[in-house]
Amino acid sequence: MTTSAIPVIDLSAALHGRADERLRAARAMEAACTDIGFFTVRGHGVPLATIDTLRSHARHFFNLPLATKREAAPADPAVPRGYRALGFDALSRANVGVAGAAPGDLKEYYHFGREQWPDAPYFTGEEGRRYFIPNRWPAAPAGFAEAAAAYYAHMERLTGEMMSLVALALGIDEDFFDDKIDRHITAMRINFYPEQTVAPEPGQLRAGAHTDYGLLTILNGENTAGGLQVCTRQGDWLPVETAPDTFVVNIGDLLMRWTNDRWVSNVHRVVNPPAEAGPAAQRISIAFFHHPNYDALVECVAPPGEAKYPPVRSGDYRTEKYQQTRV
C-alpha cells in the first residue's frame, strides 16, 4: 500500500493510448508535481519478474564480503561506474547552504548506465565519453549485467512515455521532449543500506537530504525500517511507502527549471533504522535517474522575461552536482 498523502496514479489506460485517460493521468501528475513533487505509479507495464530478478542479483552481490565487492570498483574513483563502498558520497552537500563537512551517507551502491550505444561522434567523441562509459560488472552473481540491462530497457520505455504525459500536463506539444531525451545520459544506482552495527555520527543518515538532478527519478524500494522520507511544503517529513509492483516517481532539478518552479524538485532523504532493528533493516532501492541528452539546453517554458533561471546544459549541470557530493 502507499501513504495517502503521496498520490497514486494508474498508468495502464494512459499508456495504451486512450486520449481521455492520458489527459486524466497528466492532470494527476500536474497536481502531484505542483504540490509535493512525488507520486506513485502502478499499471506501468514493467514485468514484476524483471524487477525481482535484478533485486535478487543485487541482494546476492551486496551480501558478498567487502573485499570481493571492492573488486568491482573502478580504478579511478571519479569514474561513475561499478561499486561504491559505504560513505563514498554525501548527497546533502549538493544542496545550497549545506555545510561541506556533511558526513558520508550510510549506503553502498552500484552505478551503471546503458550497455550499448551507436558508433557516432555524439557518443564516442571527447564530450560523449564523459557520459557513455562502459559498465563494470562483478564476477558474481552470474547474470547481474543481463538483469540490469533488461531493467534499464524497461525504464527507458516507461520514462519516454511519461515525458509525453509531462508535456501534456504542462500544456505544450506532447513531443516537446522527444529530441531532448533521445540520446539521454541516464544513470542507474542500486542502493544498499546495510544493517547499522555502529551508531551513526551526528547528522549522518542513510542518504542525506537532497534533491535529484535530472527529469524524473523512478524508484523501486522496500518498506523496511529506515526508509525514504519527503519534505512537505509545510516542512514536515512524510514517509514514502511502496509496494513491489509500483514505482515512486519524483521530479528533478532540471524539470523544475524547465517549468520555472511550477513543479517542485523536492527535498528527500533516507533515515536511519532504530538501533534494535538489526539485520531486518537491510534495504535495497533501485533508482533510474532519467537525465536529458548532455547537450540539451534547459530553458524554462515560461513567457520571456519571467524565467527564474538562466539556460543550462544538461550535462554540465549533472557534472557539477556529482562533484559537490564527493566526500
mmCIF file of all heavy atoms in Angstrom, residues 22-43:
data_model
loop_
_atom_site.group_PDB
_atom_site.id
_atom_site.type_symbol
_atom_site.label_atom_id
_atom_site.label_comp_id
_atom_site.label_asym_id
_atom_site.label_seq_id
_atom_site.Cartn_x
_atom_site.Cartn_y
_atom_site.Cartn_z
ATOM 1 N N ARG A 22 -5.140 9.560 -20.988
ATOM 2 C CA ARG A 22 -3.849 10.259 -20.994
ATOM 3 C C ARG A 22 -4.005 11.628 -20.329
ATOM 4 O O ARG A 22 -3.156 12.047 -19.529
ATOM 5 C CB ARG A 22 -3.332 10.409 -22.429
ATOM 6 C CG ARG A 22 -2.862 9.104 -23.044
ATOM 7 C CD ARG A 22 -2.389 9.286 -24.481
ATOM 8 N NE ARG A 22 -1.226 10.163 -24.571
ATOM 9 C CZ ARG A 22 0.020 9.803 -24.277
ATOM 10 N NH1 ARG A 22 0.270 8.573 -23.832
ATOM 11 N NH2 ARG A 22 1.016 10.639 -24.392
ATOM 12 N N LEU A 23 -5.079 12.309 -20.652
ATOM 13 C CA LEU A 23 -5.308 13.617 -20.042
ATOM 14 C C LEU A 23 -5.562 13.483 -18.549
ATOM 15 O O LEU A 23 -5.084 14.296 -17.750
ATOM 16 C CB LEU A 23 -6.499 14.302 -20.728
ATOM 17 C CG LEU A 23 -6.804 15.734 -20.256
ATOM 18 C CD1 LEU A 23 -5.597 16.647 -20.471
ATOM 19 C CD2 LEU A 23 -8.025 16.279 -20.999
ATOM 20 N N ARG A 24 -6.281 12.443 -18.153
ATOM 21 C CA ARG A 24 -6.550 12.220 -16.735
ATOM 22 C C ARG A 24 -5.227 11.996 -15.980
ATOM 23 O O ARG A 24 -4.993 12.569 -14.905
ATOM 24 C CB ARG A 24 -7.470 11.010 -16.557
ATOM 25 C CG ARG A 24 -7.922 10.794 -15.108
ATOM 26 C CD ARG A 24 -8.571 9.415 -14.955
ATOM 27 N NE ARG A 24 -9.647 9.226 -15.906
ATOM 28 C CZ ARG A 24 -10.899 9.624 -15.706
ATOM 29 N NH1 ARG A 24 -11.224 10.230 -14.573
ATOM 30 N NH2 ARG A 24 -11.815 9.404 -16.619
ATOM 31 N N ALA A 25 -4.359 11.148 -16.542
ATOM 32 C CA ALA A 25 -3.073 10.885 -15.897
ATOM 33 C C ALA A 25 -2.209 12.141 -15.853
ATOM 34 O O ALA A 25 -1.542 12.421 -14.850
ATOM 35 C CB ALA A 25 -2.342 9.765 -16.633
ATOM 36 N N ALA A 26 -2.222 12.912 -16.954
ATOM 37 C CA ALA A 26 -1.432 14.147 -17.000
ATOM 38 C C ALA A 26 -1.901 15.137 -15.937
ATOM 39 O O ALA A 26 -1.079 15.782 -15.270
ATOM 40 C CB ALA A 26 -1.518 14.770 -18.391
ATOM 41 N N ARG A 27 -3.193 15.255 -15.766
ATOM 42 C CA ARG A 27 -3.720 16.177 -14.752
ATOM 43 C C ARG A 27 -3.354 15.713 -13.338
ATOM 44 O O ARG A 27 -3.077 16.535 -12.462
ATOM 45 C CB ARG A 27 -5.233 16.297 -14.911
ATOM 46 C CG ARG A 27 -5.639 17.137 -16.136
ATOM 47 C CD ARG A 27 -7.130 17.118 -16.357
ATOM 48 N NE ARG A 27 -7.513 18.047 -17.425
ATOM 49 C CZ ARG A 27 -8.715 18.064 -18.000
ATOM 50 N NH1 ARG A 27 -9.662 17.205 -17.596
ATOM 51 N NH2 ARG A 27 -8.990 18.923 -18.957
ATOM 52 N N ALA A 28 -3.345 14.406 -13.130
ATOM 53 C CA ALA A 28 -2.945 13.887 -11.821
ATOM 54 C C ALA A 28 -1.469 14.159 -11.560
ATOM 55 O O ALA A 28 -1.077 14.506 -10.433
ATOM 56 C CB ALA A 28 -3.234 12.381 -11.752
ATOM 57 N N MET A 29 -0.643 14.039 -12.601
ATOM 58 C CA MET A 29 0.771 14.356 -12.455
ATOM 59 C C MET A 29 0.963 15.837 -12.151
ATOM 60 O O MET A 29 1.767 16.209 -11.290
ATOM 61 C CB MET A 29 1.526 13.966 -13.723
ATOM 62 C CG MET A 29 1.638 12.465 -13.932
ATOM 63 S SD MET A 29 2.282 12.009 -15.567
ATOM 64 C CE MET A 29 3.900 12.755 -15.521
ATOM 65 N N GLU A 30 0.221 16.679 -12.835
ATOM 66 C CA GLU A 30 0.302 18.129 -12.602
ATOM 67 C C GLU A 30 -0.028 18.460 -11.148
ATOM 68 O O GLU A 30 0.680 19.239 -10.486
ATOM 69 C CB GLU A 30 -0.662 18.846 -13.559
ATOM 70 C CG GLU A 30 -1.072 20.251 -13.155
ATOM 71 C CD GLU A 30 -0.027 21.318 -13.451
ATOM 72 O OE1 GLU A 30 1.028 20.991 -14.015
ATOM 73 O OE2 GLU A 30 -0.285 22.486 -13.105
ATOM 74 N N ALA A 31 -1.094 17.862 -10.629
ATOM 75 C CA ALA A 31 -1.489 18.144 -9.249
ATOM 76 C C ALA A 31 -0.412 17.687 -8.271
ATOM 77 O O ALA A 31 -0.071 18.405 -7.325
ATOM 78 C CB ALA A 31 -2.819 17.449 -8.941
ATOM 79 N N ALA A 32 0.149 16.492 -8.496
ATOM 80 C CA ALA A 32 1.170 15.967 -7.594
ATOM 81 C C ALA A 32 2.454 16.785 -7.657
ATOM 82 O O ALA A 32 3.075 17.069 -6.628
ATOM 83 C CB ALA A 32 1.465 14.505 -7.939
ATOM 84 N N CYS A 33 2.841 17.183 -8.855
ATOM 85 C CA CYS A 33 4.137 17.835 -9.025
ATOM 86 C C CYS A 33 4.122 19.304 -8.618
ATOM 87 O O CYS A 33 5.174 19.866 -8.302
ATOM 88 C CB CYS A 33 4.609 17.700 -10.471
ATOM 89 S SG CYS A 33 5.018 15.993 -10.903
ATOM 90 N N THR A 34 2.955 19.930 -8.616
ATOM 91 C CA THR A 34 2.880 21.296 -8.110
ATOM 92 C C THR A 34 2.762 21.312 -6.590
ATOM 93 O O THR A 34 3.044 22.326 -5.958
ATOM 94 C CB THR A 34 1.678 22.050 -8.705
ATOM 95 O OG1 THR A 34 0.480 21.299 -8.468
ATOM 96 C CG2 THR A 34 1.845 22.259 -10.193
ATOM 97 N N ASP A 35 2.391 20.176 -6.007
ATOM 98 C CA ASP A 35 2.210 20.100 -4.560
ATOM 99 C C ASP A 35 3.462 19.577 -3.867
ATOM 100 O O ASP A 35 4.159 20.303 -3.164
ATOM 101 C CB ASP A 35 1.006 19.218 -4.241
ATOM 102 C CG ASP A 35 0.804 19.028 -2.743
ATOM 103 O OD1 ASP A 35 1.229 19.914 -1.983
ATOM 104 O OD2 ASP A 35 0.245 17.999 -2.352
ATOM 105 N N ILE A 36 3.782 18.316 -4.105
ATOM 106 C CA ILE A 36 4.866 17.686 -3.351
ATOM 107 C C ILE A 36 5.980 17.148 -4.229
ATOM 108 O O ILE A 36 7.066 16.820 -3.749
ATOM 109 C CB ILE A 36 4.297 16.567 -2.444
ATOM 110 C CG1 ILE A 36 5.293 16.203 -1.335
ATOM 111 C CG2 ILE A 36 3.881 15.354 -3.274
ATOM 112 C CD1 ILE A 36 4.716 15.370 -0.234
ATOM 113 N N GLY A 37 5.760 17.049 -5.544
ATOM 114 C CA GLY A 37 6.812 16.592 -6.445
ATOM 115 C C GLY A 37 7.046 15.096 -6.439
ATOM 116 O O GLY A 37 7.996 14.607 -7.061
ATOM 117 N N PHE A 38 6.199 14.345 -5.752
ATOM 118 C CA PHE A 38 6.295 12.887 -5.671
ATOM 119 C C PHE A 38 4.941 12.272 -5.994
ATOM 120 O O PHE A 38 3.897 12.826 -5.644
ATOM 121 C CB PHE A 38 6.684 12.449 -4.252
ATOM 122 C CG PHE A 38 8.154 12.414 -3.970
ATOM 123 C CD1 PHE A 38 8.867 13.586 -3.837
ATOM 124 C CD2 PHE A 38 8.818 11.205 -3.823
ATOM 125 C CE1 PHE A 38 10.231 13.569 -3.557
ATOM 126 C CE2 PHE A 38 10.171 11.170 -3.539
ATOM 127 C CZ PHE A 38 10.881 12.355 -3.405
ATOM 128 N N PHE A 39 4.958 11.115 -6.622
ATOM 129 C CA PHE A 39 3.750 10.316 -6.789
ATOM 130 C C PHE A 39 4.161 8.869 -7.010
ATOM 131 O O PHE A 39 5.330 8.566 -7.285
ATOM 132 C CB PHE A 39 2.864 10.834 -7.933
ATOM 133 C CG PHE A 39 3.549 10.959 -9.275
ATOM 134 C CD1 PHE A 39 3.487 9.934 -10.209
ATOM 135 C CD2 PHE A 39 4.242 12.112 -9.619
ATOM 136 C CE1 PHE A 39 4.093 10.047 -11.448
ATOM 137 C CE2 PHE A 39 4.855 12.247 -10.854
ATOM 138 C CZ PHE A 39 4.787 11.212 -11.773
ATOM 139 N N THR A 40 3.212 7.977 -6.854
ATOM 140 C CA THR A 40 3.436 6.554 -7.068
ATOM 141 C C THR A 40 2.686 6.125 -8.315
ATOM 142 O O THR A 40 1.562 6.582 -8.551
ATOM 143 C CB THR A 40 2.937 5.744 -5.854
ATOM 144 O OG1 THR A 40 3.718 6.101 -4.715
ATOM 145 C CG2 THR A 40 3.057 4.255 -6.083
ATOM 146 N N VAL A 41 3.311 5.250 -9.128
ATOM 147 C CA VAL A 41 2.624 4.750 -10.324
ATOM 148 C C VAL A 41 2.454 3.241 -10.249
ATOM 149 O O VAL A 41 3.330 2.515 -9.779
ATOM 150 C CB VAL A 41 3.365 5.128 -11.629
ATOM 151 C CG1 VAL A 41 3.360 6.637 -11.825
ATOM 152 C CG2 VAL A 41 4.775 4.581 -11.680
ATOM 153 N N ARG A 42 1.286 2.824 -10.709
ATOM 154 C CA ARG A 42 1.038 1.409 -10.945
ATOM 155 C C ARG A 42 0.522 1.284 -12.382
ATOM 156 O O ARG A 42 0.259 2.272 -13.050
ATOM 157 C CB ARG A 42 0.024 0.855 -9.933
ATOM 158 C CG ARG A 42 -1.353 1.494 -9.990
ATOM 159 C CD ARG A 42 -2.396 0.637 -9.242
ATOM 160 N NE ARG A 42 -1.989 0.386 -7.867
ATOM 161 C CZ ARG A 42 -2.522 0.996 -6.819
ATOM 162 N NH1 ARG A 42 -3.464 1.932 -6.995
ATOM 163 N NH2 ARG A 42 -2.145 0.698 -5.610
ATOM 164 N N GLY A 43 0.375 0.074 -12.863
ATOM 165 C CA GLY A 43 -0.058 -0.116 -14.242
ATOM 166 C C GLY A 43 0.969 0.393 -15.243
ATOM 167 O O GLY A 43 0.625 0.832 -16.337
#
